[in-house]
Amino acid sequence: MLAAEISRIRELVDEGKYQEAEAVVDACQDVANNLPPTAAARAAYDHSAGVVAYHLQKYDSSIALLDRAVAVRRNLDDEVKLAESLRDLGASHRANGDLRKAEELYRETGAILQRHFPDGDLRTADLFSNLSVLYFVQSRLAESEMACRQSLDLRRKLLGPDHNMIGQCLSNLGQIVLSQGRLVEAERFCREGLEMRERVLTPDHPDIAASLNNVAVALFEMGNYAEAEDIQRRVLEIDAKAYGAGSLEAATDLQNLAEMQARQRRFPEAVALQRRTLAIRKAKLPPIHPDLALTLGNLANVLDETGELESATQAYSDAIAIEESIAEDAPSLGLATCLSNFGDMVRRGGDRGRARAAFERALNVMPSDARQSRLHTSILNNLADIENREGSHQAAERGFQEVVDIRRATLPSDHPDLAHSLARLADVKASLGDIGSAFRLSREAVDKLRHRLASGSVEAPAVTANEARMAKETLITHLGLLASTGPGDEANHEELLQTFQMASATDTTVALSRMAERHALAVTGVGPEIARLRTLTLEERALEDSVATAASEGTTNDISTLVDRLRGRLREVREERDTIRRSFPDAISRLYGFEEIRLSELRAVIGAGEAVLIVVCGQVFSVAALIGPATATVTRIEISRAEILEWTSRVRASTDLSQGQRALPDFDMDAARQLRDVLLQPFASHLGTVQHLICVLDEPFASVPLAIYPDVLSAPEDTAVSPSDNRTRWFVDRNAITMVPSPASLHAIRKRAGRSRAPLPFIGVGSPKVDGLAAAPLPRAREQLEAMRLALGGSTDLVFVDEAASKHALAGVDLTKAKVIAFATHGLMSNESAAAGGPHEPALLLSGPVPECFLAASEIAQMEMDADWAILSACNTAAGADAASEGLSGIARAFFEAGARTVLISHWAVSELSTTLLLKKLFELGEVVEGVGKSERLRRAMMHVRDRSLPAHSHPAFWGAFSLVGEGWHH
């Protein structure tokens, strides 16, 4: 009976049903325990149980069981069985981080197999495969590749053309050559391995997930981000079902997904996933383990990007200590990676000496066969950057040229890493006076990025924004060269605009363009289908999350039935979605593609008295342009991003009302003047005739509204040191101001968005009653909503206050019926929402208990609106998801996704009284001044609060917090 059960365990392991195999192991335990400890059958049971424990990542149990099997089999007359136990015991030690012990056991296994099978057999092939994995972990990449190829040759000889184990070799070989920078080979091997396994295994087999994972990683390194992330999510679903959501396999999947998000600069998502990965690995792995070091290093990377430098430094230190213990002075890819990332952090912090030391040590410990890897070229790139910043331009030129040569030889022609290298080389060529070569290289880099942006996937529309975000410094280099050539001709201005558009292709740009296109299509014959497509897309995302959650909860019949039902619905949704896309290709292309307009198209939507101000910030310099109906002027701002951030932070700190009016500091006029002088002063001679300035502002400029800049055209004595001094002239005194996320956004709004066709004037929500949360009361919220309702002629039935201001009430309201939608409530940034028990994203506060009281940005984005205007009378609604996000990327973006054409946002914690006065005046002006656009109404309302209310309200904190995003002038 036991022999039959052991055979059953092996079958279940081969099928990837590890939890079912464990159940059989447990059922046989009493029978096995009754056997003599030295019996062959007991050793066979212990070996099988140890293999199951290994697959379930219970390495301590696996080692104990296999140790027992080895001890018994050493005294039995069956050396081949002993070799099998030694091999699997080595694999358990390797997975548990004891690489030296693993190699010792593998060598003993090899000696036995060589005696019995001098020409090799399947056991020998399995040993080569295990050795290959060990060498890979030890960064012995050439030896790893050789062992993998030996295993592949033997398995092909003994197993025939199609077998799971051959697929394993191909997938592993792809991962090995990928680490050496051989990307094209890597993708081919990974895909061959996956295709073979798909022919012989069921779709949910864990080995399919392993091969899918390798394909995803290869695709990501090739620059196919959307496809890679989709595949990685499927991997996580399979592994969560096979091993459990808290397993080490799931942790590996989470880490890979986090790395994909971090490389696309989606840092909030990446931090959350890296923390989950670290928690799992700390609980299941010994303290000295390469996977633990990898997670700590990756977490440090994203903490660095989000400004948590102290935590990042500690995580790097811990990761380096682990890698040093493992490496023992031998070459180590893991240690080189940690050192490189640490060096990059201190380099960006300005400590070039420590950075150089870290990079040079990373090169010294790097395995010789990883000299064409992405890591190696990144280190060379960073060392060249240090040389460039220290004025050693010729040394920098040699370094950047080496990186370009390697990346041309190893990367696809349009890979963003190659574009970045070309831009860095162009920058140093310009420093050496070789402007012709600089332009040639820079244009080549931008052309590569444009090609990638233009081919953005409809499966993941935000891929264009992610690509542009990653390519920012490349685009800045080209903008800087263009701006340095003088006034420029029409061709120069055209090229500037195209590059500006690529640099400003944020998530909010995508959302606004998609909103405009949806409204344009709504009045055509395809309107219902486009609306249906959006519904299907939202359902698809929800189903994907539900499948992953359900699959991770176990393998009971009820859960399996639920997963099958969800997958069936998911297939139906995707089939209907694909049918719509095939039926309306032109509409879909406009809806999801990267939009790029020409200079003539932009000028066609700029009216008399209007101009568009565009600024893109780099680490070292920024570039700004002012474009009017017939003119264009450009300037290069030779101020670092760090200095601009200091000025904007000082201004924002001096408008901080979060501790109340009494604690409000004096306005920092000096910092405000500095911002004015670098951004507006270069265009002073052109701004005199501008009445309406449309702004495309990059962070950190976007965090301070231009309305509170001192006036650029006033004499020095007219910009006094105190806001309360009536001589003070502000930019808002002269200009109405509207923000848009990109030049293409303005074109989309004015050419395609149209006017709202909603029959009702107003829906208002506010003054919530929150259970279990110490939210400050909002006594004037009801007053604000009532003032707007009266001005617009709305119905009292569509104003939801107190307990009625809930998500449940909103769910019963058709928001597409209102031209104006207003929220008068608390606005929470991501960290505030999470700290209060809400989602890790920006949110508005509604009535109800925690967490139902949080209306998250993602929930707003799923709503349907046809509003001309969304009014957000709340704090910090201009904020992004976190410190690393671009401006307008939180709640404002969500309202554009939902269908609002214009959004009124706030830049800081606002005063309820001054906000009430401002909103009353804003809508009163709409009644008494015929034909005045929204931005001009806001300008006059700001001046009214400043000049005609309480004396304290002369401080910009009270009147300058709000900005309009979208359409502010046309009426």
Side-chain angles (χ1 to χ4, degrees):
M1 173 186 173
L2 186 59
E5 292 303 295
I6 289 173
S7 296
R8 177 61 180 152
I9 291 169
R10 290 172 182 162
E11 289 173 5
L12 289 168
V13 168
D14 288 342
E15 293 169 8
K17 300 176 179 177
Y18 305 128
Q19 295 181 39
E20 291 181 44
E22 185 179 41
V24 178
V25 167
D26 293 342
C28 297
Q29 188 170 6
D30 289 341
V31 175
N33 287 341
N34 288 326
L35 294 172
T38 58
R42 176 61 186 269
Y45 168 82
D46 286 341
H47 183 122
S48 298
V51 170
V52 172
Y54 165 82
H55 282 293
L56 290 172
Q57 299 104 35
K58 299 177 180 180
Y59 299 128
D60 289 339
S61 297
S62 175
I63 289 168
L65 288 161
L66 287 164
D67 262 334
R68 285 211 309 251
V70 165
V72 172
R73 285 178 167 175
R74 286 192 187 280
N75 296 310
L76 298 176
D77 189 22
D78 192 340
E79 247 194 345
V80 174
K81 293 289 187 187
L82 172 61
E84 292 174 356
S85 293
L86 288 167
R87 178 201 65 210
D88 293 342
L89 179 58
S92 293
H93 277 292
R94 187 260 308 156
N96 208 39
D98 192 343
L99 307 185
R100 180 177 294 176
K101 182 66 174 177
E103 187 165 6
E104 175 188 315
L105 290 163
Y106 287 153
R107 293 197 182 285
E108 184 179 357
T109 304
I112 295 171
L113 294 178
Q114 181 62 31
R115 287 196 296 271
H116 289 270
F117 309 103
D119 295 328
D121 81 333
L122 286 177
R123 297 172 187 83
T124 312
D126 291 345
L127 175 62
F128 282 139
S129 180
N130 279 279
L131 278 169
S132 175
V133 174
L134 174 67
Y135 295 152
F136 183 81
V137 174
Q138 293 174 317
S139 301
R140 296 155 62 181
L141 301 182
E143 293 171 88
S144 178
E145 181 178 352
M146 181 182 295
C148 189
R149 289 186 182 276
Q150 288 173 307
S151 179
L152 178 61
D153 291 344
L154 270 175
R155 285 173 172 174
R156 279 177 167 162
K157 176 182 175 182
L158 299 169
L159 295 173
D162 263 7
H163 195 279
N164 177 31
M165 291 296 100
I166 296 174
Q168 179 200 52
C169 281
L170 289 166
S171 290
N172 289 351
L173 188 56
Q175 196 76 343
I176 295 163
V177 301
L178 180 66
S179 294
Q180 298 174 60
R182 293 148 57 188
L183 271 66
V184 176
E185 283 182 89
E187 184 187 11
R188 175 168 59 83
F189 285 133
C190 289
R191 286 198 183 277
E192 285 180 12
L194 174 62
E195 289 165 3
M196 182 171 293
R197 283 182 149 177
E198 286 179 330
R199 289 194 293 270
V200 298
L201 299 175
T202 59
D204 289 344
H205 197 290
D207 289 349
I208 292 286
S211 289
L212 280 167
N213 176 79
N214 288 359
V215 169
V217 173
L219 285 171
F220 193 84
E221 291 298 328
M222 297 280 283
N224 298 332
Y225 304 125
E227 184 180 0
E229 190 169 336
D230 282 349
I231 292 173
Q232 193 63 51
R233 291 187 184 280
R234 183 182 164 199
V235 172
L236 179 59
E237 177 191 328
I238 295 171
D239 283 342
K241 180 179 180 182
Y243 302 104
S247 66
L248 287 170
E249 289 290 341
T252 298
D253 302 336
L254 290 169
Q255 177 161 276
N256 288 342
L257 192 56
E259 275 297 279
M260 292 176 181
Q261 292 168 344
R263 289 265 294 277
Q264 296 173 85
R265 306 193 67 78
R266 291 154 54 191
F267 297 123
E269 300 161 81
V271 168
L273 291 179
Q274 291 289 13
R275 290 194 187 281
R276 284 175 60 190
T277 303
L278 183 61
I280 294 170
R281 286 182 165 169
K282 275 188 171 180
K284 292 181 176 289
L285 292 175
I288 303 299
H289 195 285
D291 288 352
L292 194 56
L294 178 63
T295 305
L296 284 165
N298 289 342
L299 177 59
N301 295 346
V302 289
L303 290 174
D304 169 29
E305 293 287 358
T306 55
E308 299 179 53
L309 299 184
E310 186 175 342
S311 297
T313 301
Q314 184 59 56
Y316 277 132
S317 177
D318 293 344
I320 290 170
I322 293 172
E323 291 289 3
E324 287 174 334
S325 296
I326 295 168
E328 296 181 334
D329 298 325
S332 169
L333 198 60
L335 180 55
T337 301
C338 285
L339 289 166
S340 173
N341 290 336
F342 174 73
D344 196 33
M345 180 182 76
V346 295
R347 176 186 66 85
R348 285 184 278 107
D351 192 341
R352 292 195 286 268
R354 289 177 73 196
R356 184 192 292 274
F359 292 138
E360 289 175 347
R361 187 181 173 208
L363 287 178
N364 289 334
V365 302
M366 182 175 292
S368 59
D369 41 13
R371 294 291 175 177
Q372 289 194 326
S373 66
R374 185 178 192 273
L375 174 63
H376 181 234
T377 54
S378 294
I379 295 170
L380 293 176
N381 200 74
N382 285 331
L383 281 169
D385 182 72
I386 291 173
E387 299 285 6
N388 195 33
R389 289 176 187 271
E390 292 180 345
S392 302
H393 300 312
Q394 291 180 331
E397 181 185 24
R398 289 192 296 273
F400 286 133
Q401 186 65 62
E402 182 180 0
V403 175
V404 167
D405 292 343
I406 294 172
R407 287 180 169 173
R408 281 196 194 277
T410 59
L411 296 178
S413 62
D414 66 346
H415 196 285
D417 284 357
L418 176 54
H420 182 262
S421 301
L422 291 164
R424 303 310 301 134
L425 183 56
D427 188 47
V428 76
K429 292 278 190 185
S431 298
L432 290 167
D434 188 353
I435 302 300
S437 294
F439 263 113
R440 177 179 56 79
L441 291 163
S442 182
R443 283 196 174 105
E444 183 184 354
V446 172
D447 286 344
K448 292 179 184 302
L449 295 177
R450 179 177 287 110
H451 178 264
R452 289 183 60 77
L453 284 168
S455 59
S457 166
V458 296
E459 297 294 334
V463 70
T464 56
N466 292 331
E467 292 273 352
R469 198 178 299 123
M470 295 172 71
K472 189 74 163 288
E473 289 303 316
T474 301
L475 297 167
I476 278 285
T477 296
H478 192 57
L479 286 170
L481 285 169
L482 290 167
S484 300
T485 58
D489 55 15
E490 194 73 0
N492 174 276
H493 295 157
E494 189 75 64
E495 191 171 1
L496 273 164
L497 178 63
Q498 306 314 311
T499 311
F500 271 127
Q501 288 181 88
M502 294 169 66
S504 60
T506 63
D507 293 337
T508 309
T509 301
V510 174
L512 196 149
S513 295
R514 201 155 52 226
M515 171 275 293
E517 192 61 42
R518 283 207 315 271
H519 286 315
L521 293 170
V523 297
T524 70
V526 301
E529 285 77 9
I530 297 303
R532 176 61 179 160
L533 178 62
R534 183 168 188 266
T535 301
L536 290 168
T537 301
L538 294 172
E539 185 180 359
E540 180 185 19
R541 293 175 192 166
L543 285 166
E544 287 171 342
D545 290 342
S546 297
V547 168
T549 301
S552 69
E553 291 177 352
T555 57
T556 66
N557 289 336
D558 288 346
I559 291 176
S560 297
T561 300
L562 173 62
V563 169
D564 289 343
R565 181 171 61 79
L566 290 170
R567 284 183 178 144
R569 177 57 189 156
L570 189 57
R571 283 193 296 272
E572 292 173 359
V573 166
R574 286 172 174 166
E575 287 171 5
E576 186 179 354
R577 176 204 65 189
D578 292 343
T579 298
I580 294 174
R581 286 176 172 169
R582 286 192 298 269
S583 301
F584 305 99
D586 291 342
I588 298 305
S589 176
R590 294 197 303 275
L591 197 61
Y592 290 114
F594 171 64
E595 182 179 24
E596 192 174 53
I597 61 170
R598 299 189 64 78
L599 185 58
S600 59
E601 293 176 288
L602 177 61
R603 284 177 168 159
V605 296
I606 300 174
E610 289 188 314
V612 177
L613 174 67
I614 312 170
V615 61
V616 176
C617 293
Q619 295 299 324
V620 180
F621 63 88
S622 301
V623 179
L626 187 72
I627 300 174
T631 61
T633 308
V634 63
T635 186
R636 177 167 161 148
I637 302 170
E638 300 293 348
I639 303 292
S640 71
R641 185 186 188 91
E643 289 177 274
I644 296 168
L645 181 60
E646 180 192 350
W647 296 335
T648 56
S649 298
R650 283 169 51 188
V651 171
R652 288 179 60 82
S654 71
T655 59
D656 184 8
L657 281 164
S658 61
Q659 302 304 312
Q661 182 173 331
R662 291 182 183 277
L664 181 66
D666 291 339
F667 183 69
D668 196 331
M669 190 70 79
D670 288 340
R673 283 200 191 96
Q674 296 274 26
L675 291 170
R676 175 202 62 187
D677 290 347
V678 299
L679 183 57
L680 298 181
Q681 196 64 48
F683 306 113
S685 61
H686 300 274
L687 289 171
T689 58
V690 175
Q691 298 171 282
H692 179 217
L693 188 63
I694 304 159
C695 300
V696 181
L697 301 181
D698 196 7
E699 290 290 351
F701 281 113
S703 65
V704 173
L706 264 63
I708 68 170
Y709 281 26
D711 185 17
V712 72
L713 297 178
S714 298
E717 62 270 16
D718 289 338
T719 51
V721 295
S722 170
S724 61
D725 191 316
N726 59 16
R727 291 178 299 160
T728 301
R729 295 279 295 171
W730 303 93
F731 194 63
V732 75
D733 290 323
R734 185 180 303 278
N735 287 90
I737 303 160
T738 301
M739 296 174 68
V740 292
S742 78
S745 301
L746 178 66
H747 185 269
I749 294 170
R750 292 190 169 177
K751 283 293 187 181
R752 302 201 304 278
R755 294 292 301 273
S756 170
R757 295 177 295 132
L760 301 174
F762 182 71
I763 291 175
V765 183
S767 188
K769 302 294 183 184
V770 183
D771 301 332
L773 193 63
L778 297 170
R780 294 185 179 273
R782 183 192 293 267
E783 183 182 350
Q784 293 172 14
L785 294 173
E786 182 64 9
M788 287 184 272
R789 183 193 71 78
L790 288 171
L792 295 167
S795 167
T796 56
D797 293 338
L798 293 175
V799 177
F800 301 91
V801 294
D802 300 331
E803 288 79 5
S806 67
K807 286 201 284 189
H808 176 74
L810 276 181
V813 179
D814 185 354
L815 297 177
T816 64
K817 300 296 187 184
K819 286 183 169 64
V820 177
I821 299 173
F823 286 84
T825 181
H826 290 287
L828 304 176
M829 294 185 289
S830 292
N831 60 331
E832 296 170 328
S833 173
H840 289 263
E841 58 179 311
L844 296 176
L845 205 57
L846 298 183
S847 297
V850 175
E852 286 79 9
C853 59
F854 298 98
L855 181 62
S858 58
E859 295 176 299
I860 296 168
Q862 294 177 30
M863 294 176 171
E864 289 282 353
M865 299 179 185
D866 184 21
D868 279 330
W869 204 348
I871 307 294
L872 306 184
S873 175
C875 299
N876 287 309
T877 49
D882 73 353
S885 301
E886 74 265 8
L888 311 179
S889 64
I891 292 176
R893 183 184 75 192
F895 274 92
F896 287 125
E897 287 275 12
R901 293 164 176 81
T902 304
V903 184
L904 181 70
I905 56 170
S906 61
H907 291 269
W908 51 74
V910 296
S911 157
E912 197 182 12
L913 173 58
S914 62
T915 298
T916 303
L917 296 172
L918 184 141
L919 289 174
K920 283 183 173 182
K921 193 64 178 178
L922 181 67
F923 282 91
E924 174 190 315
L925 286 167
E927 289 294 299
V928 301
V929 184
E930 182 65 29
V932 173
K934 299 182 182 73
S935 55
E936 175 62 17
R937 287 160 57 185
L938 178 61
R939 185 183 81 87
R940 297 184 191 186
M942 285 179 170
M943 293 165 62
H944 173 81
V945 172
R946 184 192 68 196
D947 299 336
R948 299 187 182 181
S949 60
L950 300 176
H953 287 176
S954 61
H955 194 296
F958 294 96
W959 57 264
F962 288 93
S963 290
L964 272 174
V965 187
E967 175 55 86
W969 195 246
H970 284 194
H971 26 260

